[in-house]
Amino acid sequence: MIALQNVCKSFQDGDVKHAVIKDLSLSFPQQSSISITGASGSGKSTLLHLLAALDTPDSGSIIVDDLKITELSTKQADEYRKHYLGFVFQRFNLIDCLSVWDNLCFSARLTKRFDEDYIDSLVQRLGIEDLKHKLPQTLSGGEQQRVAIARALAHKPKLILADEPTGNLDDKNSENVVQLLFELCETLQTTLILVTHSQPIASSAKLHYCLRDGQLHPQSRDTG
Ligand SMILES: Nc1ncnc2c1ncn2[C@@H]1O[C@H](COP(=O)(O)OP(=O)(O)O)[C@@H](O)[C@H]1O
Ligand SMILES: [Mg+2]
């Protein structure tokens, strides 16, 4: 269970305090997929940062499983991210000097969860077998996206946070890769919280919310 309780987050903009998340209370079941849409600047990335303990709310608390992540020390927050979370960023953020295979193994080795057969199965599933020995800069955007998804899952995290994982790739192909992320998370019983501007992707999640005026508004499948 992921629970947000009276979470408030604002940023100072000159003399003005700009409230981004406004007294948000909500809980998500574990092992589910949750999509979040919303206008640019509505606070989607801010919310993911709070869930990643990369930032702290002004008030309120966030609980992931039994862990109150809003009360962690810097070191505990590092451990939480390292062991518990997988990320897919908009720009994919692969490590340029490491081969694709070493990118995939990096966090798994760090967390002592390196499982070669499992990572190989992700590689097969994402169709990136031929890229294993290449460097990230030599890959197309679509290939980098596949690698980024495999990397997010490689250390068997319990929660994946994906912030517009289609990057600037707008084609159908890229959406299909994100659909694959849904399938993989379901098979691996990993919770997925995904920010997207794509309605078809958002509707593929079990729960879809729109972030507006600092609150998450549930969206029905029919209304998108
Ligand atoms: N570190 C920060 N300092 C100041 N303002 C910020 C910071 N991060 C985000 N904001 C502001 O908070 C609002 C929400 O930003 P963000 O969460 O990035 O929106 P989204 O991801 O939905 O586009 C924006 O107005 C943005 O300028
Ligand atoms: Mg954003």
Side-chain angles (χ1 to χ4, degrees):
M1 173 100 117
I2 298 169
L4 297 114
Q5 293 166 346
N6 305 105
V7 173
C8 297
K9 180 71 186 175
S10 53
F11 293 108
Q12 199 72 31
D13 185 9
D15 292 340
V16 188
K17 204 170 174 195
H18 174 51
V20 179
I21 307 294
K22 299 179 191 169
D23 198 25
L24 178 62
S25 296
L26 193 75
S27 56
F28 307 122
Q30 202 69 276
Q31 297 177 16
S32 188
S33 56
I34 297 114
S35 64
I36 299 171
T37 50
S40 174
S42 59
K44 304 179 298 297
S45 296
T46 301
L47 184 60
L48 289 195
H49 289 164
L50 295 174
L51 288 164
L54 284 165
D55 203 350
T56 47
D58 303 333
S59 58
S61 55
I62 302 175
I63 298 159
V64 177
D65 275 356
D66 291 328
L67 194 64
K68 202 173 214 181
I69 63 161
T70 37
E71 283 181 1
L72 301 178
S73 67
T74 311
K75 189 160 179 275
Q76 287 168 329
D78 278 345
E79 291 295 305
Y80 161 69
R81 278 189 294 276
K82 197 163 87 181
H83 292 278
Y84 204 96
L85 299 187
F87 294 95
V88 190
F89 301 96
Q90 185 169 19
R91 289 192 183 145
F92 308 134
N93 294 10
L94 299 167
I95 304 171
D96 282 340
C97 60
L98 298 181
S99 69
V100 164
W101 180 253
D102 286 336
N103 262 280
L104 296 184
C105 300
F106 188 79
S107 58
R109 288 194 174 118
L110 207 65
T111 51
K112 300 193 169 44
R113 282 189 216 148
F114 178 67
D115 176 345
E116 187 167 355
D117 291 342
Y118 164 72
I119 297 178
D120 245 334
S121 72
L122 290 175
V123 164
Q124 303 287 338
R125 193 75 183 82
L126 285 155
I128 52 176
E129 305 91 319
D130 296 343
L131 309 179
K132 281 207 272 195
H133 304 292
K134 294 193 172 177
L135 287 172
Q137 311 98 296
T138 66
L139 309 182
S140 71
E143 289 170 339
Q144 289 186 28
Q145 183 194 26
R146 286 167 190 268
V147 175
I149 286 176
R151 182 189 55 176
L153 288 160
H155 60 297
K156 303 181 182 173
K158 286 199 180 166
L159 171 63
I160 298 262
L161 299 175
D163 197 351
E164 305 199 23
T166 44
N168 298 318
L169 317 163
D170 280 328
D171 57 1
K172 196 87 205 125
N173 215 352
S174 166
E175 289 191 355
N176 289 339
V177 175
V178 179
Q179 302 293 0
L180 202 52
L181 175 63
F182 277 105
E183 283 172 39
L184 286 165
C185 285
E186 178 145 14
T187 315
L188 301 166
Q189 301 188 319
T190 306
T191 307
L192 173 63
I193 301 181
L194 171 138
V195 167
T196 181
H197 51 260
S198 154
Q199 287 299 331
I201 291 176
S203 315
S204 302
K206 290 209 177 92
L207 299 167
H208 173 198
Y209 294 89
C210 180
L211 183 56
R212 195 173 56 245
D213 300 327
Q215 286 286 329
L216 284 172
H217 302 270
Q219 307 289 294
S220 77
R221 280 180 186 255
D222 304 334
T223 56

